[in-house]
Amino acid sequence: MAVTDEAIEKIKSMIVSGALRPGDRLPKECELAADLGLSRNSLREAVRALSLVRILDVRQGDGTYVTSLDPRLLLEALAFVMDFHRDDTVPEFLAVRRILEPAATAMAAGRIEAGELDELERRLDALGPRPSVAELVACDLEFHRGIVAAAGNSVLSSLLDGLSGPATRAHVWRGLTQQDAVSRTLAEHRAIVAALRDRDPEAARAWATAHVASVEQRLRSTL
């Protein structure tokens, strides 16, 4: 493990220093191993590990490349790991959302287009009076994803997407529907949209804070 860690650190140093840039192809395995003073096996393990977290892209028959290193790509690993959460840690994810999502919603107030707001409302209207958990999860995911995307910060968007993906949201909605809290939650969604239409960042921030906090509080009572 220590040898593989050393290999990972050496490849990382090459990327951080600019010796390898996004899109660059790595030297042949035998050449790179010799240059870095590594065995080919440890280099191979390091490449495999870095490809799993989207740092490297192994193309069969073509070679190994540095990825674009785009934040969305790199933070995919966060979303993957989050799906392994324990039920009792879901409120902790919501607590982090309560810090980040209101800021993103406030940022979106000055940037989101009227057509995007119309689409958010259309999604809420389409749910009907008795939506299934699957429908609620899909709507909730796209509702918040659309607002955060409008904030214009890809890192923030990717972080929030990773913190509360479909698996986490499904757990949240199952807890909420048990308490017949669907109508209240959707009303909070509409209040967020209204604040965004008014181009009022502080009202948008306040409603987003209240919304995530109320979801968090109601969920804690079911655990």
Side-chain angles (χ1 to χ4, degrees), residues 22-196:
D24 282 356
R25 180 177 175 173
L26 271 64
K28 291 181 179 179
E29 185 182 273
C30 58
E31 297 173 3
L32 185 58
D35 288 344
L36 297 178
L38 300 167
S39 71
R40 293 178 69 171
N41 281 340
S42 62
L43 177 61
R44 203 172 292 133
E45 289 299 319
V47 167
R48 186 177 292 114
L50 290 170
S51 68
L52 289 174
V53 292
R54 305 293 195 267
I55 303 295
L56 298 178
D57 179 19
V58 180
R59 304 176 190 174
Q60 196 66 33
D62 186 21
T64 300
Y65 293 79
V66 180
T67 67
S68 66
L69 303 180
D70 182 89
R72 290 188 182 91
L73 185 66
L74 299 180
L75 287 168
E76 280 181 9
L78 174 64
F80 178 77
V81 170
M82 291 302 177
D83 282 344
F84 291 92
H85 65 268
R86 303 190 316 273
D87 287 353
D88 60 349
T89 63
V90 173
E92 295 182 16
F93 294 144
L94 281 169
V96 178
R97 266 187 68 193
R98 182 157 42 88
I99 295 169
L100 298 178
E101 198 160 297
T105 306
M107 291 165 64
R111 302 172 57 95
I112 196 165
E113 300 288 338
E116 293 173 306
L117 290 169
D118 291 341
E119 177 61 18
L120 293 179
E121 289 192 323
R122 187 196 67 76
R123 288 181 180 277
L124 296 177
D125 292 339
L127 279 176
R130 294 183 179 275
S132 67
V133 169
E135 290 170 330
L136 288 167
V137 169
C139 178
D140 193 50
L141 186 65
E142 293 306 315
F143 178 84
H144 290 287
R145 183 180 282 164
I147 292 172
V148 173
N153 186 308
S154 62
V155 174
L156 185 56
S157 179
S158 297
L159 277 172
L160 282 165
D161 219 29
L163 282 167
S164 191
T168 303
R169 289 180 189 274
H171 181 104
V172 169
W173 274 111
R174 287 190 187 100
L176 293 182
T177 51
Q178 288 169 4
Q179 300 182 71
D180 195 28
V182 175
S183 59
R184 177 176 168 184
T185 302
L186 297 182
E188 291 165 354
H189 281 179
R190 293 187 186 282
I192 292 170
V193 172
L196 292 171

